[in-house]
Amino acid sequence: MQCLATGGTSGALGPALALTTAFLWTISALCWASAGRRIGSLRVNLLRLILAPLMLLALLPVYALWLGHWPAMLSREQFFWVALSGIPGIVIGDALYFEAIVLLGARRAVQINTLAPVAALIAGWLWLGETLKPISMWGAALVLASVAYLAWIERRPGRASQDAAARQPGEPSHLSLLGLFCAVAAATGIGLGTVVARRAYSAPLVNGRPLDSYLAATIRVVAASLMFWIYPLVRFRAAALKIPLALGDRIVRSRLLLGTAVGPVIGMVTYLVAIEHAPAGLVATLVAMSPVFLLPIVVMRYRLRFTADVYVA
């Protein structure tokens, strides 16, 4: 596949891991959508930002045993960029993405998230000096046109009556201006987070040892979790402390555990390793291929049918 930005790669490892990340994040998006419809997107995000750091920290000694030594510590500059990347990518981007999943449904939110490579492309070009070729601009224009077409198809006059006439269960949620704003803003934040994380790999090394991606993922998620939890703990202390009680719901618990394991834990590690071996624009482009994995799952799950409009619910 032609990427939106070009640069040095390390064989096929980076692209392969980026595609793996896209698949894992597709599964997690479906889990978040299911749990979010029951307890709300904010509670889902807060809960997974409790579970994800705990899982990563618990597996860190196991990872060290597998390596045969403790992962090399990050330099101050590496730590700064890794932790900072969690602000646009997780604290802001994922928060809006979770809301978009609930408002729009997983299919629509993931499709609009294909805007993330455009943000990563522009930021990588302006900041990291990654090559921007004419094909890159055509690719960005194609993504923007596709998202605009999606919005027009979903909101055009007569669509609601057609959906009702179809008498199919359809996918939960529908396209709305608020949901569209959350999805576009989330894609922008996630794209910027990719570029900021990429910056950590160009920072000076510690004793000549490369940045360990698992340790970087752990630091990124832990830092984002602490930043995300500050406001609810300060503003709604009593209510925030009761949020973990939502895990008493069996369906919510199963969706959160599965979504956290394959998304912020395994998916985050594959994502950061991909960034290490491929340009930010390429990684963001391949990760944004989640709709390729998501559409067949959603079609079977919600019994959608494809038409000249690409799909109808």
Side-chain angles (χ1 to χ4, degrees):
M1 174 181 176
Q2 177 68 47
C3 60
L4 293 184
T6 60
T9 61
S10 179
L13 180 60
L17 288 174
L19 288 173
T20 301
T21 303
F23 174 74
L24 293 173
W25 285 1
T26 295
I27 301 301
S28 66
L30 292 170
C31 293
W32 305 143
S34 177
R37 285 192 293 269
R38 298 178 72 90
I39 63 173
S41 64
L42 178 59
R43 287 184 177 181
V44 169
N45 209 8
L46 287 168
L47 284 171
R48 68 111 186 191
L49 287 178
I50 292 176
L51 296 173
L54 291 177
M55 288 183 180
L56 285 166
L57 290 171
L59 292 173
L60 186 56
V62 178
Y63 174 68
L65 287 175
W66 178 74
L67 282 180
H69 58 81
W70 197 257
M73 292 303 297
L74 280 64
S75 67
R76 290 182 181 179
E77 188 174 350
Q78 288 174 331
F79 185 95
F80 172 78
W81 291 118
V82 167
L84 183 65
S85 70
I87 296 178
I90 299 178
V91 176
I92 298 175
D94 279 4
L96 293 172
Y97 181 53
F98 276 45
E99 185 65 18
I101 286 175
V102 174
L103 293 173
L104 304 178
R107 171 176 58 90
R108 299 180 186 94
V110 170
Q111 286 175 321
I112 296 173
N113 197 49
T114 54
L115 288 172
V118 178
L121 166 71
I122 296 172
W125 171 53
L126 294 175
W127 187 21
L128 301 182
E130 294 183 347
T131 304
L132 181 60
K133 296 182 178 180
I135 188 64
S136 304
M137 300 178 66
W138 281 108
L142 179 61
V143 170
L144 291 171
S146 299
V147 172
Y149 177 72
L150 166 68
W152 178 79
I153 284 293
E154 292 279 356
R155 293 186 64 84
R156 75 187 191 281
R159 176 60 189 267
S161 59
Q162 291 175 13
D163 291 347
R167 295 184 179 179
Q168 295 186 24
E171 183 185 7
S173 306
H174 62 279
L175 196 68
S176 65
L177 291 178
L178 178 59
L180 188 60
F181 168 78
C182 290
V184 172
T188 303
I190 292 170
L192 292 176
T194 302
V195 176
V196 176
R198 175 76 172 168
R199 181 67 179 80
Y201 287 98
S202 61
L205 305 179
V206 178
N207 299 323
R209 300 176 67 180
L211 176 64
D212 185 273
S213 295
Y214 186 90
L215 187 58
T218 302
I219 292 172
R220 188 175 195 252
V221 173
V222 169
S225 301
L226 293 175
M227 288 184 283
F228 198 87
W229 266 93
I230 288 175
Y231 179 76
L233 284 176
V234 173
R235 182 68 178 82
F236 309 107
R237 183 175 181 181
L241 293 175
K242 293 180 181 179
I243 287 177
L245 296 177
L247 289 174
D249 185 317
R250 181 181 60 83
I251 295 179
V252 170
R253 184 172 62 250
S254 64
R255 300 298 189 275
L256 277 170
L257 290 174
L258 176 60
T260 302
V262 301
V265 178
I266 303 174
M268 185 60 68
V269 174
T270 58
Y271 169 72
L272 288 177
V273 176
I275 290 175
E276 178 183 0
H277 294 285
L282 172 60
V283 173
T285 300
L286 295 177
V287 169
M289 289 183 64
S290 289
V292 175
F293 301 107
L294 182 65
L295 282 175
I297 299 174
V298 172
V299 165
M300 292 185 291
R301 172 65 178 85
Y302 298 112
R303 286 179 284 173
L304 306 181
R305 59 186 176 86
F306 286 85
T307 68
D309 289 341
V310 182
Y311 57 83
V312 297

